[in-house]
Amino acid sequence: MRLLLATIILVLASAMTGFAQQRHALIVGNDIYTNVPHLQKARNDANAVSQTLGQLGFRVTTLLDADRTSMNRGLATFASAIQPGDEAVFYFAGHGIEVAGRNYLLPVDIPAARPGEEDYVVGESIAVDRVLQTMQQKGARVSLLILDACRDNPFPVSGTRSLGTKRGLAQSEPPEGVFILFSAGTGQSALDRLSNSDTNPNSVFTRALLPRLSEPGLIVSQLAIAVRQDVREMARSVQHDQFPAYYDQLTGVFSFNADGTINRGAAPLEASVGVAVPQLAPAPIADPCDAARADWQVLQSTQSQAAFEAFARKYADCPIYAAIAQERLTGLATAAAPPVQQTTPVPAAVGGDICSQLWYARNLIFHQKGYCFTSAQAKSVFDTSQCSTSNPVLSASESAEVDRIKALEKANGC
């Protein structure tokens, strides 16, 4: 009887192990291209992100200067390890282009091409939507793409023609369960460095991303907001416009470091090159309210109900801060206003991220009152041929709606 019981327990334990949630990451950093300009920091970025995610419990595969065959094989191996319910992260640093509304990542052996040879180039590239589809088909609970590929188009321009858009990647509409973070907004280019004297080993985007990955309890939408604000400030210091875009279709809460500690038993890295994971001493046992107090400094200015819900769950053993979070949740639910209503279709020129949508909604109110815009951005979206005033008079309800949208822009770090 004892032998039978022991056998049953062993079988059940094995079955439960098979259903345990795993974290997987495929990291690609391409610097040394054969037929298009080299980059300087993509490999450094890939190594740094690999090391951080390895410490956070991800099984990491790292590809450096990967050709098309290596990227396809790496993607297939990565996908084969994903089981239903797992968390999967794909990070790419290198050249990328947008052709006919689709985004493509370039392997280092991408052939030389000129305008009119788009079909040739896309056939030799890795489509972003195919990466997504591969991850989604495996039933991952979270599929997260981080793309530091929004650089200037590396292919030569012929007259006024270019192969794909001249810079950046296109906005994205990911499926349910997917989160995408781009290093720059639609039509923007991402900076490798702030100046020729900039000695930081990482790109502007990745140097902002790295410390946020390990930030305790920071959910991914809050991470994106913090990263985009850090990047914008650094880029503005050299008069460059770079504002990372993100697209959130997650159905639950995801954090890279949900429990507030770096994973001491991180899974081994599976890499094409060695990436050392430092051995860290065990962390001392801390008062849960100390950690709650530190996290509250990050959350207290947000309007995200999901963030407060995650905070309340995490710090249930710290009654004071858990109660404060529940009070904020009640206030947000009571004061929640209906979403911004668009009375006209949003033009294609407007980006798909939340800040672009809010900018359009706010300025649409002024456009409908006959306002004559002067900025190039507004003129590219709104027809000013029939405008009539530079000082429109808004009704009380219109003024209130403008104020509400401005508050949402501020809350989202726009």
Side-chain angles (χ1 to χ4, degrees):
M1 182 66 180
R2 291 181 179 177
L3 179 59
L4 177 60
L5 181 59
T7 303
I8 293 173
I9 291 174
L10 181 60
V11 171
L12 288 175
S14 299
M16 290 177 68
T17 300
F19 286 106
Q21 182 185 83
Q22 298 291 325
R23 313 183 96 188
H24 309 273
L26 175 58
I27 311 298
V28 183
N30 288 346
D31 269 335
I32 311 303
Y33 283 84
T34 304
N35 299 302
V36 299
H38 291 186
L39 297 174
Q40 297 184 11
K41 302 189 177 183
R43 300 200 330 170
N44 290 343
D45 293 342
N47 279 329
V49 172
S50 294
Q51 183 173 352
T52 300
L53 294 188
Q55 292 173 347
L56 294 172
F58 284 83
R59 296 190 64 84
V60 182
T61 299
T62 306
L63 304 177
L64 302 180
D65 289 337
D67 59 20
R68 182 170 176 266
T69 299
S70 298
M71 288 184 67
N72 278 318
R73 183 182 294 116
L75 182 59
T77 303
F78 170 61
S80 68
I82 300 172
Q83 299 295 320
D86 286 354
E87 298 171 343
V89 173
F90 175 85
Y91 170 94
F92 178 86
H95 279 306
I97 61 169
E98 180 260 311
V99 177
R102 294 182 70 190
N103 295 320
Y104 297 88
L105 308 177
L106 305 187
V108 294
D109 59 348
I110 191 72
R114 296 188 175 278
E117 298 178 330
E118 285 80 1
D119 288 345
Y120 178 39
V121 169
V122 301
E124 299 295 320
S125 306
I126 307 298
V128 171
D129 52 12
R130 184 169 74 82
V131 176
L132 268 180
Q133 184 180 29
T134 300
M135 297 164 70
Q136 289 290 95
Q137 287 175 342
K138 293 296 182 175
R141 182 185 74 84
V142 172
S143 298
L144 198 152
L145 269 66
I146 303 175
L147 304 178
D148 191 359
C150 306
R151 296 171 172 83
D152 288 337
N153 190 322
F155 294 105
V157 175
S158 177
T160 59
R161 298 179 62 205
S162 64
L163 192 160
T165 54
K166 293 184 179 181
R167 63 176 54 185
L169 299 178
Q171 66 184 61
S172 181
E173 296 182 5
E176 183 177 310
V178 171
F179 190 101
I180 304 178
L181 176 59
F182 289 99
S183 58
T186 304
Q188 296 177 343
S189 61
L191 291 172
D192 250 9
R193 58 194 185 280
L194 293 175
S195 67
N196 291 333
S197 60
D198 183 358
T199 59
N200 192 294
N202 299 117
S203 72
V204 171
F205 170 76
T206 299
R207 74 181 70 168
L209 172 69
L210 287 169
R212 301 294 182 179
L213 293 175
S214 301
E215 194 164 325
L218 191 67
I219 63 174
V220 69
S221 58
Q222 295 299 313
L223 176 148
I225 291 173
V227 168
R228 72 194 317 198
Q229 192 61 38
D230 293 343
V231 170
R232 169 178 268 183
E233 291 177 1
M234 282 190 283
R236 281 180 171 175
S237 70
V238 292
Q239 290 74 53
H240 182 78
D241 188 19
Q242 181 179 347
F243 192 47
Y246 72 93
Y247 304 88
D248 185 358
Q249 288 296 328
L250 294 182
T251 55
V253 175
F254 170 79
S255 174
F256 283 95
N257 192 20
D259 62 0
T261 59
I262 289 181
N263 192 323
R264 311 305 183 201
L269 298 180
E270 303 166 353
S272 60
V273 295
V275 181
V277 180
Q279 299 299 314
L280 303 176
I285 298 175
D287 182 346
C289 287
D290 288 341
R293 187 177 301 109
D295 282 6
W296 186 256
Q297 298 303 313
V298 177
L299 288 182
Q300 60 182 341
S301 62
T302 186
Q303 300 296 313
S304 169
Q305 294 187 39
F308 287 114
E309 289 170 355
F311 182 95
R313 287 196 302 271
K314 179 179 177 182
Y315 294 113
D317 55 350
C318 179
I320 294 177
Y321 277 97
I324 294 174
Q326 290 294 344
E327 183 179 358
R328 288 291 298 273
L329 278 169
T330 301
L332 288 170
T334 302
V340 175
Q341 298 295 319
Q342 304 288 7
T343 57
T344 60
V346 179
V350 177
D353 61 287
I354 184 63
C355 287
S356 297
Q357 297 289 321
L358 290 170
W359 174 88
Y360 176 74
R362 172 168 52 81
N363 283 286
L364 180 61
I365 295 172
F366 289 91
H367 174 64
Q368 292 171 338
K369 303 296 288 188
Y371 181 61
C372 295
F373 293 98
T374 58
S375 72
Q377 181 183 12
K379 286 182 176 180
S380 70
V381 174
F382 299 102
D383 180 6
T384 59
S385 60
Q386 302 296 322
C387 69
S388 57
T389 180
S390 59
N391 188 27
V393 178
L394 303 184
S395 66
S397 62
E398 289 168 336
S399 295
E401 181 66 2
V402 168
D403 290 341
R404 188 176 78 88
I405 295 172
K406 286 182 178 179
L408 288 172
E409 289 178 305
K410 182 178 180 180
N412 282 278
C414 301

